[in-house]
Amino acid sequence: MNQLYYGDNLHVLRTSLAAESVDLIYLDPPFNSKRDYNLLFKSPKGQDSDASITAFEDSWHWGPQAEGEFDELMHQPNTDVAEMMKALRAFLGENDMMAYLTMMANRLLELHRVLKPTGSLYLHCDPTASHYLKIVLDGVFGKIQFRNEIIWRRTRAHNDKKITKYGAIHDTIHYYAKGEGPLFNIVRTERDESAPKTHDLYSHTDGKIYRKDNCRAPGNRGPLWTWNGHTFNWRFTEVEAKRLTDEGRIVFSKSGMPRVLRPVDLTLGSPLQDVWTDIDAINSGAGELLGYPTQKPLALLERIIAASSNEGDVVLDPFCGCGTAVDAAQKLKRKWIGIDITHLAISLIEKRLKDRYGARCKFEVIGTPGDLDAARDLATGDKYQFQWWAVSLVEAQPFQGKKKGADGGIDGLKFFRDLDKKEVRKIVVSVKGGGIKADDVRALNSVRDREKAEIALFLSLETPTAGMVKDAAAAGLYTSPTGKKYARVQLLTIAALLAGTARAEHPDYEPDLNFKKAKAEKHGEQPELL
């Protein structure tokens, strides 16, 4: 079954993925940009302005964790990597970039281990560290396994107020193969209608169309000999040249320079090259935009997956973010594995796949709490991850993130529209991962009043006391235009939510108010990808 893991990908790779079990790896790791990347939640019209929460902090620092991971690199069996990382440390010192490269090197070693001999890896990065990452990749895979540095033009030209350099409009994708014979399917671009006018085409006597191509070897690396009065390094030996001439595949220019005829199928586009300018980054009006920072276009991932895997193959994304790679893999009938270290990403991917494919997309979520003990462990280990996970149990948006003291007693927001359709109404959510106090419910009801919310949800690991139940009842009821009544303050335990014996109660006539809905993928065979 397809698998979605919550956790540190280094731990997941080491404990859960077998050697040589994956056909294709795509990773879009943090770039060490020293920025915080925010996930944007759109608020319905008439509510407060759009809210954002820090999805991840792309800053790395040399410290005990980096030192520990560097020590692991010195004692693992790939001595090339160990020597290369020592050289990088001597050059860079113990700084943020070295911490980032140490983190990446350990993970790339594990990714190399789980990749099949026929498999490929695509690492997506920007100029911040792309040159250093290529050195690390050369050490892990071997420099002869480098296939391409793909340039993806992610945006068109833009005008900055103060121009001091050339416009930065591209990302880099490093493509490496594990073995000498990687699986590779030719991807073609759409045929240029002007091709017959711009190419030197030749109608041969056999009725086929050929293109006249240069016979000289690039970089003067071919055999040196004299052909029809011209002495150069050629693409062919004298024996091969005679065979091609006998077959009628060699023609000569007015100066006597030989040209080889290569067959051309005018119904096909050209094979894809290593500069991609035909796929733009997702703009604000795009239907697939989910508000996740660094989200890549689906077409980009479809291209990579189509080129380096076949139906039924296993695709792995160890930094899966909002899940574009696993979405593309699902669409193209591949099996997939996704890993991310935040519950924000995991819950977003779950919703995305359910919206896109419904029940026909079957996958297992591993690492998120499945019982009360696991929930307690998460709350103890990382209270923010626990809050984000708990809020997702009632399908609410997380609120404010890790800004200490800025939440105002709110850990989540949810919106609903009632039958009258006149206005959007608000629900506030409070999460308690530790001990609960007698006045918690009264305090939440005050927050509800302050925020002009109709309903408040109180989520807790512990069972509320009788006094808290009484305080919740005293908050009264929200009455829908249908006449149905809902408790204004609802007490929900994590255990009951996990067991499915409790849920948030409110009208739900427009369920897509809280998250952008991914466009459903039509069921059926996919057309051939150009």
Side-chain angles (χ1 to χ4, degrees):
M1 183 177 288
N2 299 319
Q3 295 171 322
L4 182 59
Y5 286 89
Y6 162 70
D8 184 337
N9 51 25
L10 183 61
H11 175 74
V12 173
L13 289 166
R14 287 174 172 173
T15 61
S16 301
L17 272 69
E20 299 186 355
S21 60
V22 172
D23 297 281
L24 170 63
I25 297 170
Y26 168 84
L27 62 157
D28 180 15
F31 292 168
N32 196 30
S33 63
K34 305 193 184 306
R35 291 173 53 196
D36 292 348
Y37 287 87
N38 294 327
L39 173 57
L40 182 66
F41 294 99
K42 301 289 286 184
S43 295
K45 187 176 180 180
Q47 295 297 319
D48 295 336
S49 61
D50 298 343
S52 66
I53 188 169
T54 300
F56 62 90
E57 299 170 358
D58 187 14
S59 298
W60 305 87
H61 305 290
W62 192 269
Q65 181 176 349
E67 192 69 65
E69 289 203 21
F70 187 86
D71 184 67
E72 290 182 19
L73 289 171
M74 295 302 101
H75 294 89
Q76 51 79 38
N78 188 326
T79 55
D80 286 344
V81 171
E83 292 301 317
M84 177 260 308
M85 293 302 291
K86 280 197 292 186
L88 280 173
R89 183 171 181 175
F91 174 67
L92 293 171
E94 290 82 23
N95 58 15
D96 297 353
M97 181 60 76
M98 193 62 210
Y100 172 73
L101 295 174
T102 299
M103 178 276 293
M104 287 300 303
N106 264 316
R107 285 151 181 81
L108 287 169
L109 283 165
E110 288 301 319
L111 292 171
H112 182 270
R113 179 186 65 83
V114 304
L115 198 59
K116 292 180 182 178
T118 55
S120 301
L121 177 141
Y122 291 75
L123 191 156
H124 193 136
C125 53
D126 76 355
T128 305
S130 61
H131 48 307
Y132 293 126
L133 287 170
K134 187 176 185 302
I135 293 172
V136 176
L137 284 162
D138 282 348
V140 172
F141 282 80
K143 58 182 180 293
I144 64 171
Q145 298 309 117
F146 169 72
R147 288 297 183 265
N148 287 103
E149 180 184 60
I150 299 165
I151 301 301
W152 172 49
R153 186 190 67 184
R154 68 179 187 277
T155 185
R156 310 275 173 165
H158 48 79
N159 293 316
D160 295 327
K161 290 182 179 179
K162 185 178 180 181
I163 299 176
T164 59
K165 63 176 183 177
Y166 301 107
I169 63 170
H170 83 276
D171 283 355
T172 296
I173 304 173
H174 293 307
Y175 165 37
Y176 279 74
K178 184 171 184 179
E180 293 300 319
L183 186 154
F184 188 80
N185 303 311
I186 295 175
V187 175
R188 295 184 179 274
T189 57
E190 292 187 13
R191 179 176 171 269
D192 184 355
E193 294 298 328
S194 65
K197 300 175 184 178
T198 59
H199 290 76
D200 185 10
L201 300 181
Y202 180 86
S203 297
H204 201 277
T205 54
D206 61 5
K208 296 180 180 178
I209 302 297
Y210 292 84
R211 183 179 69 252
K212 297 177 184 178
D213 203 0
N214 194 356
C215 290
R216 291 178 59 180
N220 296 324
R221 292 191 292 269
L224 178 66
W225 56 283
T226 301
W227 189 357
N228 201 35
H230 297 274
T231 303
F232 290 106
N233 295 89
W234 302 100
R235 292 176 183 267
F236 316 108
T237 64
E238 293 185 67
V239 173
E240 290 171 328
K242 183 178 184 308
R243 175 180 60 78
L244 291 169
T245 302
D246 293 342
E247 293 174 358
R249 294 276 305 283
I250 300 295
V251 295
F252 297 92
S253 67
K254 290 181 181 179
S255 65
M257 181 66 73
R259 306 289 298 279
V260 62
L261 300 181
R262 300 195 185 280
V264 176
D265 186 344
L266 293 180
T267 65
L268 296 176
S270 300
L272 188 64
Q273 307 299 302
D274 63 1
V275 177
W276 298 356
T277 62
D278 58 334
I279 300 174
D280 287 338
I282 307 170
N283 59 46
S284 58
E288 66 180 276
L289 188 66
L290 298 175
Y292 193 84
T294 73
Q295 181 180 348
K296 301 303 184 291
L298 192 61
L300 182 70
L301 274 300
E302 288 180 34
R303 172 172 290 178
I304 291 170
I305 291 170
S308 291
S309 69
N310 292 326
E311 287 188 13
D313 286 350
V314 178
V315 177
L316 166 64
D317 184 350
F319 295 88
C320 59
C322 67
T324 302
V326 300
D327 186 343
Q330 178 70 30
K331 181 178 178 181
L332 297 179
K333 300 180 181 178
R334 274 65 167 172
K335 299 172 186 175
W336 54 263
I337 301 167
I339 310 170
D340 203 274
I341 199 166
T342 76
H343 279 292
L344 286 172
I346 298 301
S347 59
L348 189 62
I349 295 170
E350 287 187 82
K351 185 178 187 305
R352 176 178 185 166
L353 294 174
K354 289 173 183 175
D355 287 343
R356 294 265 292 149
Y357 303 99
R360 70 180 187 272
C361 178
K362 300 185 184 303
F363 59 95
E364 180 182 9
V365 181
I366 303 167
T368 58
D371 56 37
L372 197 55
D373 288 338
R376 286 197 180 99
D377 287 342
L378 180 60
T380 302
D382 190 325
K383 72 172 185 178
Y384 294 108
Q385 293 291 343
F386 172 75
Q387 287 172 358
W388 295 339
W389 168 76
V391 163
S392 73
L393 296 179
V394 292
E395 299 181 332
Q397 301 176 3
F399 183 73
Q400 291 295 342
K402 298 182 180 181
K403 297 177 182 178
K404 188 174 181 180
D407 59 13
I410 305 172
D411 297 310
L413 290 176
K414 191 172 185 181
F415 302 96
F416 69 94
R417 198 188 297 275
D418 213 335
L419 188 62
D420 57 9
K421 300 284 187 179
K422 290 181 179 178
E423 62 182 47
V424 172
R425 293 168 169 85
K426 184 191 294 184
I427 300 172
V428 293
V429 183
S430 177
V431 177
K432 297 296 181 183
I436 55 179
K437 303 186 296 294
D439 64 345
D440 280 342
V441 172
R442 293 191 296 274
L444 177 58
N445 195 39
S446 295
V447 170
R448 183 189 65 78
D449 285 335
R450 183 193 72 207
E451 297 296 318
K452 298 180 174 58
E454 300 291 354
I455 294 172
L457 306 178
F458 183 83
L459 315 184
S460 62
L461 283 171
E462 296 183 7
T463 302
T465 64
M468 297 172 77
V469 173
K470 184 178 179 180
D471 289 339
L477 302 171
Y478 164 73
T479 304
S480 168
T482 63
K484 188 171 181 180
K485 298 179 185 298
Y486 302 88
R488 287 198 180 275
V489 176
Q490 300 176 23
L491 310 183
L492 303 167
T493 66
I494 298 298
L497 290 169
L498 285 172
T501 57
R503 61 184 294 273
E505 299 289 346
H506 57 82
D508 200 15
Y509 292 101
E510 197 173 335
D512 296 328
L513 282 173
N514 297 283
F515 297 93
K516 185 164 182 180
K517 185 179 177 67
K519 184 179 179 182
E521 179 65 25
K522 293 180 180 179
H523 188 37
E525 295 295 321
Q526 298 299 325
E528 184 176 349
L529 189 68
L530 293 175

